[in-house]
Amino acid sequence: MKRKKLFLLMIAFLLIGTSRVVGQEKSDAAPVNLKGIWQMCFYVSGTPQVPGELKPSNSFKILSDDGKFTNMTMIPNHGAIIIGSGTYRQTAPNAYTEHPSPLPGNKPNLHLPQLVGVDNILEFEMKGGDVMVLKFFVKTDKDGNEINSWYYETWKRVKMPPVYPKDLVR
């Protein structure tokens, strides 16, 4: 009887120890903070031998707290347009999925209308915390022609000031 109790006690300790290890592994894969305003950037160089420096573009990606995304582009001296929107969620430690939906007025996303209603998986790699490189696959163009290509985009998180800037021109 004592051997049976000892055996059951050892199994209980093993199960408790295993559940702690499994729980610790899960916490290591915690979601990355993707929320915020991201600005698309490009590497620009004056010579072919130098990789260049990161320069901002006029395109922004807003990933909100409530799981919504909006992609917009500023048009200098003309305003701005929303080129895509919908919902998103992080689906892996290095990937999130955007689910584009029609824009207000039931218009399709302007940039990639073929993705409306289709999950778009974006793999990401964080570079230094405030720079994110996205990689995504596009099977067809808006007319249904096969593309079958991977696209890479570099985005930099926009740092928000703690207070409203006094010298901001609106």
Side-chain angles (χ1 to χ4, degrees):
M1 189 70 164
K2 281 188 176 184
R3 283 187 182 212
K4 197 174 190 180
K5 283 184 179 179
L6 182 62
F7 178 73
L8 290 174
L9 189 60
M10 285 178 29
I11 288 180
F13 281 125
L14 281 172
L15 288 174
I16 291 170
T18 304
S19 67
R20 280 189 176 173
V21 169
V22 170
Q24 288 171 351
E25 287 174 6
K26 285 185 180 181
S27 67
D28 291 343
V32 174
N33 181 12
L34 298 171
K35 299 169 191 162
I37 301 171
W38 296 86
Q39 187 170 18
M40 185 185 276
C41 296
F42 299 95
Y43 285 96
V44 178
S45 174
T47 62
Q49 297 82 14
V50 179
E53 55 184 288
L54 208 53
K55 297 285 186 178
S57 75
N58 294 332
S59 294
F60 295 87
K61 176 182 289 290
I62 302 166
L63 300 174
S64 67
D65 291 350
D66 61 356
K68 294 181 181 168
F69 79 92
T70 302
N71 295 334
M72 63 178 280
T73 298
M74 304 294 293
I75 304 169
N77 301 320
H78 247 32
I81 58 169
I82 295 174
I83 58 174
S85 65
T87 59
Y88 80 96
R89 67 184 174 87
Q90 188 171 346
T91 51
N94 67 333
Y96 76 93
T97 301
E98 290 181 347
H99 187 78
S101 56
L103 296 169
N106 297 322
K107 294 181 181 179
N109 283 255
L110 300 176
H111 180 55
L112 298 168
Q114 70 271 28
L115 294 180
V116 171
V118 177
D119 285 346
N120 184 23
I121 300 168
L122 297 106
E123 296 177 20
F124 63 85
E125 182 180 350
M126 301 305 290
K127 305 270 188 176
D130 285 334
V131 175
M132 171 173 63
V133 176
L134 291 179
K135 171 183 155 184
F136 59 96
F137 187 78
V138 177
K139 186 173 177 147
T140 62
D141 67 12
K142 65 180 180 169
D143 299 320
N145 301 312
E146 277 192 33
I147 296 177
N148 291 326
S149 294
W150 286 95
Y151 288 81
Y152 291 82
E153 297 175 346
T154 301
W155 296 84
K156 186 170 183 179
R157 190 187 307 264
V158 175
K159 292 186 181 184
M160 298 298 287
V163 296
Y164 191 83
K166 293 178 182 171
D167 58 349
L168 184 68
V169 177
R170 291 180 44 169

